[in-house]
Amino acid sequence: MKKIAVLSNVIPDVWLEGQGITLVREAECSQHEPVTLRAGMCGYLAFLPALLADVDGVVLTTTCDQMRRAAEWLDADDRVFLFNYPSTLHQECLIDAEKARLKGWVAQLKLRSNLQHERDARVCDTRTHGQQDIRQVADHGRIAIGVIGGHFCGERQAVENFFAQRGVQLALWGCEGGESVGDVAQRPNDAFYEHLKTLVTQRHLAGLIVVRTTWCDLWRLACVRLHEVLDVPVLEWVMDGQSHGQPFPDSTSRTRLEAFCELLQAQCQEAP
């Protein structure tokens, strides 16, 4: 069974059902060694060559400028598919055409590849896992926060452990590969902000962290807007990846995240 990494939540699992493939939604940065990048390229791209060596194919989308660059930079058209996702509404015909092109690419990939790996045939759907975690957070009644953003250059479990040690639980993991929180690249993207407002209310989130890399303008602008539309504290966390094997978090991240936890705890104590 072929293993294909799909690195965007705008492409749901259902589009690839029945194709006889195993889906990977995250690059597992902590398990791969990064390569050196050119200036202007985000840290997440540094892990893609190792990911490509570990799977049979990678699917990227044009909703992220960095992923668009990665498709060209990886220079492996037979194993890297760039899905041209329209940024405006009511483009169903274009999406259907791209879905058909993606399906054909998967079929050709299966025919071309002679790699014989022993793979775990279980499709990994991290969004379902995230929803199960949410129920546990609600049951424990602890301070709940959400983490959203683009591709995460780190290990999710390390982040969960970091907050758990400070009495804070992740009730929403909305980075790429996690639970879908809407399409931030869509124009207009009012539905994205309305959906997030609903999630904050439904999940009883006390705060929201927006993860981005230095070159991610989409999430940089979204963070500014979220400060305006949400009634909870919003923290911008710029994370370009860490040196391979470096413990999480680095000193700068630790200071910001700990201060955020202290803010939420103080607000919780002041609440009636």
Side-chain angles (χ1 to χ4, degrees):
M1 183 171 289
K2 302 306 175 187
K3 193 174 183 180
I4 296 179
V6 181
L7 302 182
S8 175
N9 283 349
V10 302
I11 301 179
D13 294 353
V14 67
W15 288 4
L16 293 167
E17 284 181 354
Q19 297 292 305
I21 59 176
T22 297
L23 297 184
V24 175
R25 284 292 183 175
E26 296 175 282
E28 297 291 343
C29 296
S30 62
Q31 298 180 20
H32 297 310
E33 186 165 356
V35 299
T36 302
L37 295 173
R38 299 192 298 268
M41 300 177 75
C42 82
Y44 190 81
L45 270 60
F47 298 94
L48 294 190
L51 173 65
L52 185 58
D54 192 47
V55 298
D56 298 296
V58 174
V59 178
L60 310 173
T61 68
T62 57
T63 57
C64 171
D65 287 338
Q66 290 290 332
M67 294 299 106
R68 192 198 316 261
R69 295 186 67 186
E72 178 182 355
W73 174 63
L74 289 171
D75 193 24
D77 292 341
D78 57 333
R79 299 181 58 217
V80 177
F81 184 91
L82 182 64
F83 192 104
N84 295 303
Y85 198 94
S87 60
T88 54
L89 299 172
H90 311 302
Q91 300 292 340
E92 288 78 9
C93 290
L94 292 177
I95 293 177
D96 287 343
E98 285 297 286
K99 286 166 63 176
R101 196 168 68 90
L102 174 60
K103 184 177 180 180
W105 175 80
V106 172
Q108 288 297 316
L109 180 68
K110 291 167 66 178
L111 288 175
R112 284 193 305 265
S113 177
N114 293 320
L115 297 175
Q116 298 297 325
H117 299 297
E118 293 185 5
R119 304 294 193 187
D120 180 0
R122 177 179 58 85
V123 174
C124 179
D125 189 346
T126 56
R127 286 165 296 194
T128 301
H129 295 166
Q131 292 168 357
Q132 293 172 347
D133 292 341
I134 289 159
R135 305 294 188 272
Q136 295 172 2
V137 170
D139 291 342
H140 284 86
R142 305 177 72 181
I143 295 176
I145 65 169
V147 177
I148 66 171
H151 296 93
F152 185 72
C153 303
E155 184 181 0
R156 173 179 172 178
Q157 188 59 55
V159 179
E160 292 182 350
N161 293 341
F162 175 86
F163 285 112
Q165 292 169 3
R166 290 156 180 81
V168 177
Q169 289 281 354
L170 294 186
L172 171 66
W173 182 265
C175 297
E176 291 287 2
E179 182 177 350
S180 178
V181 294
D183 186 2
V184 68
Q186 192 179 72
R187 294 295 181 268
N189 59 1
D190 299 317
F192 166 77
Y193 294 105
E194 289 300 321
H195 182 53
L196 271 180
K197 288 170 64 176
T198 300
L199 285 175
V200 168
T201 300
Q202 291 178 341
R203 309 287 172 83
H204 305 288
L205 301 184
L208 191 69
I209 297 176
V210 179
V211 176
R212 72 171 179 88
T213 60
T214 299
W215 307 102
C216 187
D217 291 334
L218 278 175
W219 285 104
R220 178 175 61 85
L221 296 175
C223 187
V224 175
R225 180 61 177 154
L226 287 170
H227 276 285
E228 300 171 351
V229 302
L230 296 182
D231 295 328
V232 299
V234 177
L235 174 70
E236 183 181 44
W237 182 14
V238 181
M239 184 181 185
D240 287 318
Q242 301 183 129
S243 300
H244 186 63
Q246 177 182 339
F248 170 86
D250 57 41
S251 58
T252 301
S253 296
R254 177 181 293 275
T255 300
R256 290 179 61 80
L257 297 178
E258 286 182 340
F260 190 66
C261 291
E262 292 172 1
L263 170 64
L264 298 182
Q265 290 164 351
Q267 287 187 345
C268 183
Q269 293 174 357
E270 294 174 359

